[in-house]
């Protein structure tokens, strides 16, 4: 057994790679239709030689450093393993040191793959809503690289660690504005595809940065109970205070928000309210009604807004009383922003910011028949939204003036989070 090891050792260290013969084999292989990459790729012997040579050189340097430090160490037997590379699986044989202190860089301990530049291509294609089969065919067509669906799935699933870290990251203690909404997607539940609410929480930090706070798959359709669970998760991650919460009119949601963040100013989304009214209008009246309702929420204060709504009611008396009643029913929530400056008011009275985010989420999900798990859904959204980060991670315009307003209106409640 010892003799066999010594023979192999000599091969690793001393045998020269016959490049001329290898070159002829590659040329002959290409002329016969063989591929450079893949399981039977012609490049595999060369890759193995280069990797083994690099590992041998690293070990030589390591032993020299130990000797200079007076540490007794030497080569101690062989090991082998299979590496996944862009050219397919490659078997390598390498030497170990007696002390076990050698930490190679070329191929780290327990590392099973290297040089897989296609990983980034796979993730980019997946972020663009391509299916695993589409990705496999693309790699074959563009690069001649044959990868199994399992191999591609493995690359994608490696992102899960990053997704979990992002989902559980500590949050800022305070957000100036928090937008909450739900998008419905198909996810497998108990062996069946079911439409479930994806709870989307988006915010403005005390530094004026837009931030996706959380994406939380629910158990069924949107409900106040599920929102309570989501908001508690945010508190568990360190969120203590929110100044303004903008939401739609889901029954019971106001009480849930008030319980989680008692000091929050709850603002009903004007855009949602307008949409609800639009379904009640005759088409020929819609433009004029929209202009008049816009005058209501663009009023300089609540008193003027009330007069504008009364003017609207008198103008359409007997025809659109139901629209007036809808506004009166939610008046206090709709008017929550009226005492704010135009810049901060515009930021809080509409969920346009989260609507833009939801539009990107729907773009990603609309081409999918459904998701086999919450995990697969979140990986897809994480990659897609990271790819589009420049569109949702911008600093709010006129933030300096908004910041001065917050310092005047909220005092230490705001400044304690920025000092």
């Amino acid at each position: 057994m010892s003799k066999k090891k010594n023979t192999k050792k000599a091969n690793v260290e001393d045998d020269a790679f016959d490049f001329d013969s290898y070159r002829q084999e590659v040329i002959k292989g290409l002329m016969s239709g063989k591929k450079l990459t893949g399981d039977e790729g012609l490049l595999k012997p060369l890759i193995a030689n280069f990797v083994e040579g690099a590992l041998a050189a690293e070990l030589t340097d390591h032993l020299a450093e130990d000797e200079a430090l007076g540490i007794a160490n030497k080569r101690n037997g062989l090991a082998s393993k299979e590496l996944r590379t862009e050219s397919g699986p490659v078997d390598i044989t390498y030497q170990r040191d007696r002390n076990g202190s050698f930490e190679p860089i070329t191929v780290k301990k327990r590392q099973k793959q290297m040089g897989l530049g296609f990983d980034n291509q796979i993730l980019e294609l997946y972020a663009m809503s391509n299916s695993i089969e589409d990705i496999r065919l693309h790699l074959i067509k563009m690069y001649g690289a044959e990868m199994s669906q399992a191999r591609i799935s493995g690359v994608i699933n490696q992102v899960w660690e990053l997704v979990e870290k992002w989902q559980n990251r500590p949050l800022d203690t305070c957000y100036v504005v928090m937008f909450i909404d739900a998008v419905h997607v198909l996810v497998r539940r108990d062996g069946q595809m079911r439409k479930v609410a994806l709870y989307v929480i988006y915010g403005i930090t005390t530094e004026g940065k837009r931030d996706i706070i959380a994406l939380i798959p629910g158990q069924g359709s949107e409900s106040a109970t599920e929102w309570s669970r989501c908001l508690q998760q945010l508190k568990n991650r360190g969120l203590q205070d929110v100044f303004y919460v903008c939401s739609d009119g889901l029954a019971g949601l106001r009480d849930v928000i008030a319980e989680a963040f008692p000091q929050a100013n709850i603002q009903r989304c004007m855009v949602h309210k307008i949409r609800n009214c639009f379904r009640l209008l005759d088409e020929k009246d819609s433009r004029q009604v929209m202009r008049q309702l816009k005058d209501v929420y663009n009023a300089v204060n609540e008193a003027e807004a009330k007069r504008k709504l009364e003017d609207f009611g008198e103008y359409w008396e007997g025809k659109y009383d139901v629209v007036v009643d809808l506004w009166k029913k939610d008046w206090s929530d709709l008017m929550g922003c009226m005492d704010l400056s135009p810049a901060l008011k515009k930021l809080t009275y509409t969920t346009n910011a989260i609507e833009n985010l939801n539009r990107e989420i729907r773009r990603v999900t609309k081409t999918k028949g459904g998701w086999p798990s919450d995990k697969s859904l979140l990986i897809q959204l994480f990659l897609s939204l990271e790819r589009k980060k420049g569109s949702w991670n911008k600093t709010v315009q006129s933030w300096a003036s908004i910041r001065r307003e917050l310092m005047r209106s909220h005092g230490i409640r705001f400044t304690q989070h920025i000092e």
Side-chain angles (χ1 to χ4, degrees), residues 66-67 70-74 98-99:
D66 279 359
E67 184 178 0
I71 300 172
N73 198 5
K74 63 179 181 179
R98 173 164 291 184
N99 291 351

Side-chain angles (χ1 to χ4, degrees), residues 95-113:
Q95 294 177 314
R96 298 174 294 192
D97 67 320
R98 173 164 291 184
N99 291 351
S101 58
F102 177 44
E103 296 287 345
I105 297 174
T106 305
V107 179
K108 295 179 175 62
K109 291 180 179 179
R110 295 175 292 279
Q111 182 179 341
K112 298 295 185 181
Q113 63 183 35

Side-chain angles (χ1 to χ4, degrees), residues 259-302:
E259 181 178 357
F261 302 106
Q263 297 186 80
N265 182 314
I266 301 172
Q267 172 65 49
R268 178 67 63 84
C269 174
M270 297 285 189
V271 173
H272 277 86
K273 179 59 68 176
I274 293 290
R275 287 175 183 166
N276 292 339
C277 294
F278 193 83
R279 294 194 291 265
L280 304 172
L281 306 179
D282 293 342
E283 185 176 354
K284 63 183 178 64
D285 300 330
S286 59
R287 285 178 178 246
Q288 183 176 355
V289 170
M290 290 300 103
R291 284 196 301 270
Q292 290 171 309
L293 291 179
K294 188 175 180 179
D295 288 340
V296 174
Y297 67 75
N298 278 335
V300 295
N301 53 46
E302 183 176 352

Side-chain angles (χ1 to χ4, degrees), residues 5-57:
K5 283 186 178 181
N6 289 338
T7 301
K8 182 62 178 176
K9 178 178 177 180
N11 289 338
V12 171
E13 289 186 330
D14 302 323
D15 283 3
F17 190 82
D18 190 345
F19 283 98
D20 288 337
S21 297
Y22 172 70
R23 181 173 182 273
Q24 293 301 319
E25 288 180 15
V26 171
I27 293 172
K28 186 186 296 183
L30 290 174
M31 292 178 67
S32 64
K34 291 184 178 180
K35 296 181 179 180
L36 287 173
T37 60
D39 289 347
E40 303 299 326
L42 296 168
L43 291 179
K44 291 173 67 173
L46 186 62
I47 292 173
N49 177 264
F50 283 173
V51 172
E52 290 174 353
L55 288 171

Side-chain angles (χ1 to χ4, degrees), residues 179 337 340-352 397:
F179 308 93
C337 63
L340 305 179
S341 68
L344 187 54
K345 177 182 175 182
K346 185 176 181 181
L347 192 64
T348 58
Y349 73 52
T350 174
T351 55
N352 277 353
Q397 290 184 349

Side-chain angles (χ1 to χ4, degrees), residues 68-290:
L69 296 171
I71 300 172
N73 198 5
K74 63 179 181 179
R75 288 178 172 81
N76 185 41
L78 297 170
S80 63
K81 65 179 175 182
E82 181 184 86
L83 286 177
R84 296 194 302 273
T85 75
E86 291 180 2
S87 296
V90 173
D91 293 318
I92 63 169
T93 302
Y94 56 96
Q95 294 177 314
R96 298 174 294 192
D97 67 320
R98 173 164 291 184
N99 291 351
S101 58
F102 177 44
E103 296 287 345
I105 297 174
T106 305
V107 179
K108 295 179 175 62
K109 291 180 179 179
R110 295 175 292 279
Q111 182 179 341
K112 298 295 185 181
Q113 63 183 35
M114 68 172 298
L116 292 175
F118 286 130
D119 285 12
N120 290 334
Q121 284 278 12
I122 290 170
L123 297 179
E124 178 71 9
L125 289 167
Y126 193 67
M128 295 169 66
S129 303
N130 288 283
S131 68
I132 291 175
E133 177 62 12
D134 288 340
I135 294 171
R136 189 185 72 82
L137 295 174
H138 178 85
L139 293 176
I140 292 174
K141 182 177 180 180
M142 297 300 296
Y143 306 105
E146 295 188 14
M147 292 189 183
S148 66
Q149 289 194 0
R151 163 77 178 89
I152 295 170
S153 294
V155 172
I156 294 169
N157 286 330
Q158 287 176 16
V159 178
W160 179 241
E161 184 177 344
L162 290 176
V163 176
E164 280 191 308
K165 185 177 180 180
W166 178 79
Q167 282 283 79
N168 298 310
R169 74 195 188 282
L171 295 175
D172 290 354
T173 55
C174 177
Y175 280 85
V176 174
V177 187
M178 189 166 74
F179 308 93
I180 62 177
D181 201 2
V183 175
H184 287 84
V185 295
L186 288 172
V187 181
R188 187 172 295 281
R189 291 279 191 273
D190 300 322
Q192 296 183 352
M193 284 296 177
R194 301 183 185 278
K195 184 172 284 189
V196 302
L198 174 71
Y199 295 91
V200 183
I201 307 169
Y202 187 52
I204 309 295
T205 72
T206 55
E207 297 300 322
K209 278 284 188 182
R210 301 181 187 274
D211 182 32
I212 299 175
I213 301 173
L215 301 172
I216 304 175
Q219 301 304 310
S221 57
E222 183 183 9
S223 71
T225 301
E226 284 285 277
W227 269 118
S228 178
R229 177 179 67 88
C230 294
L231 297 182
Q232 185 58 50
Q233 282 190 32
L234 304 188
K235 295 178 72 173
N236 293 343
R237 290 166 55 196
L239 179 57
Q240 299 173 8
D241 193 12
V242 181
F243 291 173
Y244 306 96
V245 179
C246 187
S247 69
D248 62 16
L250 179 71
L253 183 54
R254 192 184 201 287
D255 293 338
V256 167
I257 297 170
E259 181 178 357
F261 302 106
Q263 297 186 80
N265 182 314
I266 301 172
Q267 172 65 49
R268 178 67 63 84
C269 174
M270 297 285 189
V271 173
H272 277 86
K273 179 59 68 176
I274 293 290
R275 287 175 183 166
N276 292 339
C277 294
F278 193 83
R279 294 194 291 265
L280 304 172
L281 306 179
D282 293 342
E283 185 176 354
K284 63 183 178 64
D285 300 330
S286 59
R287 285 178 178 246
Q288 183 176 355
V289 170
M290 290 300 103

